[in-house]
Structures are given as structure tokens and as C-alpha cells.
Amino acid sequence: MADLKSMKGLSEQDRKMIEQAEALLGADAEEMGVVRNYFGGSIRSDLLLPYPDNVVVPAEEIAACDRLVAELEDYLKNEHPSIEIDQEQYIPEWVIERLFKMGVFGMTISKEYGGLGMSITSYNRVLEKIGEYCGSTAVVVSAHQSIGCKAVMLFGTDEQKQRWLPHLASDWLSAFCLSEPNVGCDAGGQETTIELSEDGEHFIVNGEKKWATSGAISGLFTVMGLQTFPDGKKRVTAVVCTCDMAGVDIYSPNRAKCGIRGTWQAKIRFNNVKVPRANLLHKEGKGLNVALTCLNFGRCTLSAGMLGGAKRAMEQALKWSRTRYQFGRPLCDFEQVRERLARMSAYTYAMDAVLYMTTGFLDRHDEDIRIETAMCKVFCSEMGWRSVNDAMQVLGGESYMTENEVERIFRDSRINTIVEGANEVMQQFVFGWGGKTLAEQMLGMKLAAENFKFSWPLVRAGVPLFTEVILGMRRRPPAIEGLHQSLVDQGRRLSQWVSEFTYRFKKTGQKYDAEMVAAQCAQGRLADAAIFIHAWMCTLSKLDKEVRAGHGGIEFERSKTAALHFFDLAEIEIRRALDALEVNADNTLHAAAEAALAVNDTMPASDFAIPEKTPTEFLGQGKQADQTHIKHFAAVTGEYVEGGTGREHMDKIQDG
């Protein structure tokens, strides 16, 4: 198989980018997962059917989770101070204690360490329920368990688990320190350093972290930084720090935000912090593996919170459409309103299908799931945002009023297309990693043809590719094995699109050749098509499960009609994305962008916000915002955070 870095015409900048991405992501899985098979024109029915949610979770756990969700809903509906959290920008201490007592903060920590020992699927059910009522609380729970303490759970030694997990299940929040002033989606570009001391007994941490959710009120944080190795290369290493370590400076516990206002994102400086070697997570130089593995879980719980919010907004919009009259008729009588109601129903059903298919992959320990978790995040954040936006429109002016919860869901939802990997970056990942195997095969055949080096296996593989790319003959649509008979026709529709998708991927690769690496608009369109194909398949599998269960009544009718409507919506989206590969405005895109940048370059930097650590000459020259009326947050005093949750985490750590 050819190496993509060997493509002729590839710029040195793009070659280096591919090299960095390969180093960042690590080796391919031995067996291709669901999404990479779509790129090759196949459907892994064995991984997709039957729908895995209650197949991988034991019945006794499902019952226990049902009880927890019921208890949690009663609390959220009748006691949880969602409005106070949003308006006052903090989560009261009693709320944190209540959730610890319920076991919510320790759901996936094993019973051996004081947790509930539940599956990822059950955990996401709880996050979905919290997301219905309070986006801020959902984020705090997710940041703690999906990324904050997940590194210890997955990569900690037995001694580390015994030392930290009981606290993390019962009384400590945790934080994840990856992002920096100059590091967002470029996780490999760490500027924080983690170097061994001369005596080899400690790691010395220096640098600055940003957006560490709950960092100012956490008992433990996982920190990523670059370590220099004897070969001169720098690799990311992960260590565990506690806030009582000398040199840890939480100099900004939080900033006022548009949404998820009750969450606290800290800025933390590390000034020659001595971290015991016993606090190393995994292996030296393997920190990115720790970070990226944890993000697989975080992308699911983000999706669960978004799903809960979208469902709640939809239900409010449905009720409003029944009871709000205009022109002598309820809003739900008008076809354009019904269009939004149907779309919300379809999107939320599909979001549910994608989310719990993905948690099933994780609970099943499927090997190749990185693309699937990225797709889950993109699909649920985008469709969730569309659904909440539809709900806003149905409620009209009332939706914009602060006392109505849809306004809060609207603000809380917007961040989800940005965090845990901006959706544009996730599109490039879906395209690049999803199509990598196929692209390498195509390149290998091209190089062999150019050098007249043929072999029987190469010819056998090359003939179908030649007939497809050169002669335009699509490959036979893949079969979907195991579908209920009533859904076979829907499966055939999807199979046709998988066949068309792999053809368009190959044709687009042939058209752009080495320039494909930089053609991000084309990459995004192919990624979108793949995402909707996957969402269609997940939705089909979920509906298959419900049909086989013999469900009936109005709830099943809602599910069935929502799924069927989603298939139509997905087909429109797939066709639109693939057609846009040929009919688009790309020819005028760059000229328009350059002209806009040229005019903007004449405007003084002092009129605009500038990144705090920009590598340009405008460092420190940006607009100084007037923060007179913006709420500020006191720094850590050593006992509590003023205006925050009041968690006396420093004392707890010292006592522990």
C-alpha cells in the first residue's frame, strides 16, 4: 500500500501536515470499522445490526439505570436551580454534593473504587436527561467523567486508581488540561513543557492552560505537555497534577460566557511545578494517545447533552404550536410550521440513533471507532442546533424571553459545534481518516501504472477501480444483511447511495490529485455525505429494533414516521453534498476572501479582538474590551472560590 506522503505534486507544507496527523493519530486499526467501509463501498451489517444499545448492556444494569434516571428526573424537575445557575453563573455546592450522592459523578468508575460501574450507554442516558434541564450541569458532569478522570480510569496504574478514583467517585471534581492560548484543535502543538528533573524523580511542568472546565474547583487535573527525548524529538506526555502543588497558579477561574454560564473554565499557569514521577499517566511520550482516547468519550457525552436539550426544545415547540393561535388557527395547522415540527422529530430520532449506536461501539470495545465518535459529535451538534433553532422560530418572540427555557437551550447549544474538536476539523478528520485506506490503494495503483510495475493482486484490485473511475461504472450496491423485511426497500435506497458515495470519492480524488490535501471544501462535502449515510444506517438499525420488538401505539408511530422522514431528509443532504462537488462557488471563493482580508488589513488592530498569544506583529495590540459591567470571578484563595461552588477542594486534598 502506498504512502500518501509520496504523492507527486504534494507541497512540503501539506506533506508535513500529513506526517504530523499520522503521528498524532497513531497506527491504523487492524480491522476497518463501520465508516471506513462506507468509503470503500461496503456496509458492515455485522457491526450495525442488531442495534447494540440493549445488546451490550446487561438487563440488571438497564433496570438500575432506569431507577437512577427516574430519581434524577424528579430532582431536575422539582429542585434543580437551572435558572439560578444560568443567571448567577455558578453551580451551588449543594447541587454538586447531591449529584455525587446520587452517584452521577461516579457512574462509570468501577464499584471497586466507589462508583456505580455502569456502561458508557447508561452514562449517556443520564447525560441526556441532565441536558434536558440544564446544559451547564451536563457539561460539568461530562468534563469530570468523560475526560477529567477518564484518563486515570483507562491509563492509570493500580496504585493510581486506588489513590484517586475513590475521591473522584465521591467528592473531587476533575479537569482536563489540553487547550492553551495557542493550542485549540491542534492538540499536537503543545507549548507547555513536561521535562524530567535531573535526578529523574520528578517531572517539571511549565506552561499555561486554557478552557479547563472546573479547573478552579477540581481536586485533580490531567495535564498534557511536550517532553524532549534523547533523540531530540518532542512528544506529548500526560501527568496528573493537584492544585496544592507549588507553582500551580489558577489565575483566572472563569469568564462570563454566552451559554453554559454555570460552568467554570479556568486559566492555569504551571511555574516549575514538581510532579512526582508516580503521577505519570500511561507512558512517556504517549500523552496524545491519552488525550485522543478520552475525547472519544467526551464527544459522546457532548452529544447526549445536546440531544436532551434538543428534545426538550422540540417538545416545548410542539406544545406551543398546539396552543398558540394566529389568524384563527393553531400554528400547527400551517404547513411551514409543520415542516419544522416534522424536521425536529426526524433529527432528534436520528440523533438518538447515532448516539446510542456509538456508545454501543464503545461498550463493545470495537477497535476502529475514532471516526464514528467524531461523526457522532458533528451530527448531534449540528442537528441539535438546527432543532433548537426550529423550536425558537416556532415559539416566535416568546422564545427570546429569558424566562422561557428554550432561550437558555439556544445559548447553551451553540458551543457544541466548536468544542471537543471544531466541526470543520472533524470534517477533515472524517474525510482524511475515513478515506485513508482507499486513497492509499488508489495511489499504489497509480504509482504502479506510472512505473509499469504490475502484479496479479494489483491487477485484480485495479480492474474494478479502472472500470469505476475511468469508465464511470458504479460498483454494485452493497447488501445489508439482517434487516426486517418491512425495511428492505429503505436499505436498498441507502445501499445505492453508498455505491454512489464511493464512486464520487474516487472521482474527486482523481480530479484533484495532490491538490486534494488542501481542497477542504471538497473534503467537507464528502465528509457530510458520509455522515448522513452513517446517520441513515444508524436510524435504520434503531427502527429495525423497534419493529422487531413489536412496538405499537402513538409512540411507535411517531418513531416510525420520524425515521422515514429522516431518510428523505438524509437523501436530500447526501445528494446536495455530492452535487456540490461539481456545482459550487469555489472558483470565486478565494478571490472574495483575499479581497475582504486586504480591506481588513487596512483597519487598525486596536479596533478588534486579537488572540492573546498571536504569533504576528499584532501581539498585545488588540482592542481592550470594556468589562465594567461584565461579571468577574475571584481567584482561588486556598479555601474556596468566591462566587463559585464553594468547594473547599484544597482542604480536601490536604486531608486526603
Side-chain angles (χ1 to χ4, degrees), residues 320-321 324-326 329-334 337-338 394:
W320 190 267
S321 75
R324 170 66 168 171
Y325 274 60
Q326 290 289 278
R329 301 161 63 188
L331 293 182
C332 62
D333 272 7
F334 296 95
V337 173
R338 296 175 78 87
V394 171

Side-chain angles (χ1 to χ4, degrees), residues 124 127-128 130-132 138 300-310 416:
N124 276 268
L127 259 295
E128 179 190 337
I130 297 173
E132 284 187 38
C300 285
T301 48
L302 176 152
S303 301
M306 180 72 260
L307 173 60
N416 291 327

Side-chain angles (χ1 to χ4, degrees), residues 160-178:
Q160 289 172 336
K161 291 177 182 178
Q162 290 167 7
R163 186 175 10 146
W164 293 318
L165 289 183
H167 278 299
L168 295 171
S170 62
D171 60 355
W172 285 6
L173 290 178
S174 58
F176 191 69
C177 299
L178 178 64

Side-chain angles (χ1 to χ4, degrees), residues 315-445:
E315 295 295 346
Q316 174 60 75
L318 287 163
K319 188 64 70 179
W320 190 267
S321 75
R322 274 288 196 204
T323 55
R324 170 66 168 171
Y325 274 60
Q326 290 289 278
F327 307 103
R329 301 161 63 188
L331 293 182
C332 62
D333 272 7
F334 296 95
E335 190 173 50
Q336 284 185 302
V337 173
R338 296 175 78 87
E339 179 186 28
R340 293 184 186 275
L341 302 180
R343 191 161 56 203
M344 285 187 283
S345 183
Y347 283 160
T348 53
Y349 185 85
M351 289 167 65
D352 189 292
V354 172
L355 170 61
Y356 292 109
M357 178 69 80
T358 311
T359 63
F361 295 156
L362 288 166
D363 282 328
R364 208 165 58 191
H365 305 293
D366 288 10
E367 184 182 6
D368 189 15
I369 48 82
R370 287 175 290 187
I371 317 167
E372 287 75 6
T373 59
M375 277 190 168
C376 179
K377 186 267 177 179
V378 174
F379 183 78
C380 289
S381 63
E382 290 285 354
M383 298 308 108
W385 173 249
R386 292 187 193 182
S387 296
V388 175
N389 191 57
D390 276 340
M392 291 282 288
Q393 196 70 15
V394 171
L395 266 70
E398 280 296 329
S399 70
Y400 221 63
M401 299 300 105
T402 301
E403 66 267 24
N404 293 324
E405 60 190 336
V406 174
E407 177 266 351
R408 186 176 71 249
I409 297 171
F410 183 77
R411 287 186 287 104
D412 289 347
S413 298
R414 186 59 185 88
I415 192 65
N416 291 327
T417 63
I418 299 171
V419 294
E420 303 282 9
N423 284 2
E424 292 81 0
V425 175
M426 292 295 95
Q427 284 177 314
Q428 312 316 312
F429 175 55
V430 167
F431 166 83
W433 211 243
K436 183 173 182 286
T437 301
L438 178 56
E440 288 174 340
Q441 291 173 347
M442 293 172 63
L443 179 61
M445 294 175 191

Side-chain angles (χ1 to χ4, degrees), residues 500-520:
E500 183 67 18
F501 170 70
T502 188
Y503 168 75
R504 296 291 192 97
F505 177 86
K506 294 163 188 170
K507 288 291 289 184
T508 305
Q510 178 200 35
K511 172 184 175 181
Y512 284 93
D513 200 25
E515 293 179 2
M516 190 70 212
V517 176
Q520 292 187 341

